[in-house]
Amino acid sequence: QRQMCIRDRATALSDDDGDGNPLVFEFLFGGNPTGRESLSPATPSGALSGASLLGLDALLPIDAGKNYPIFDVLILRDRRGITLSPRASGDLSFTEDPPFRPIQIGTPSPEGSFDRYRYLILPPTGTEPPTSGYLRLDIDYSALPAGP
C-alpha cells in the first residue's frame, strides 16, 4: 500500500528524482517518486459514440449520433485533503472565455487504491464534439501545512 509521503506544501512541490514531476503529482497519479519514469495521468482513450455515452449517463448534454473524445484519469483515492479540479480546453492555452466543459461520465471505477475517472470534453456551448480537446487537473494542496 502506498504511504502518504507528502508532509507539507514544500514537500509536495519537491522533485527529488529530477524527472520533472513534483512529488504531489507522482503520489496522486501512481508515479514512482524515486525513479525517472514519465507520468501521464490524463490519457485520451479514443472516442465513444453519443449513443454509448448516453447509455452510461442519460443526462449527458450530447447528440446520440456524434462521436466524442474521452479521457481516462487514474487518481489515488485517499488524497488526504488534496483536491483536484478538472479543466478543459480546445487548445493548450486553457484561456477560452467561456471555458470548455469537462464532464465526468458516470461514477469512478475502483482499481486497487486508485479510482478511474472518465471525462468528456465539450465546447463552451452546444452539444457538438470539439475538433480538439485537452484535459487538465488543477491540484489544490493548500490544506497541507505550509512547510518546515
Side-chain angles (χ1 to χ4, degrees):
Q1 178 173 348
R2 294 177 64 83
Q3 297 295 315
M4 176 64 157
C5 51
I6 300 172
R7 297 177 303 280
D8 51 45
R9 284 181 246 160
T11 305
L13 294 177
S14 67
D15 179 22
D16 296 340
D17 60 5
D19 64 0
N21 294 309
L23 187 58
V24 67
F25 211 72
E26 298 196 80
F27 174 73
L28 291 171
F29 304 115
N32 179 354
T34 61
R36 297 182 61 88
E37 297 88 12
S38 64
L39 182 61
S40 180
T43 55
S45 52
L48 289 177
S49 71
S52 295
L53 290 166
L54 288 167
L56 298 171
D57 184 344
L59 299 177
L60 290 172
I62 58 175
D63 181 334
K66 307 277 183 173
N67 289 323
Y68 294 87
I70 304 300
F71 288 83
D72 281 348
V73 185
L74 201 59
I75 303 172
L76 187 67
R77 188 174 302 115
D78 181 10
R79 294 187 284 279
R80 314 271 172 101
I82 298 170
T83 59
L84 300 158
S85 302
R87 290 186 55 200
S89 181
D91 59 39
L92 290 173
S93 72
F94 286 85
T95 59
E96 293 99 355
D97 187 20
F100 274 48
R101 300 172 288 160
I103 299 174
Q104 183 178 323
I105 303 166
T107 57
S109 303
E111 293 186 22
S113 57
F114 290 81
D115 287 323
R116 181 169 302 280
Y117 291 78
R118 296 193 102 182
Y119 287 97
L120 156 71
I121 295 176
L122 290 176
T125 60
T127 62
E128 287 294 313
T131 55
S132 63
Y134 299 89
L135 180 70
R136 175 170 102 183
L137 295 169
D138 289 343
I139 300 171
D140 180 357
Y141 49 90
S142 60
L144 297 173

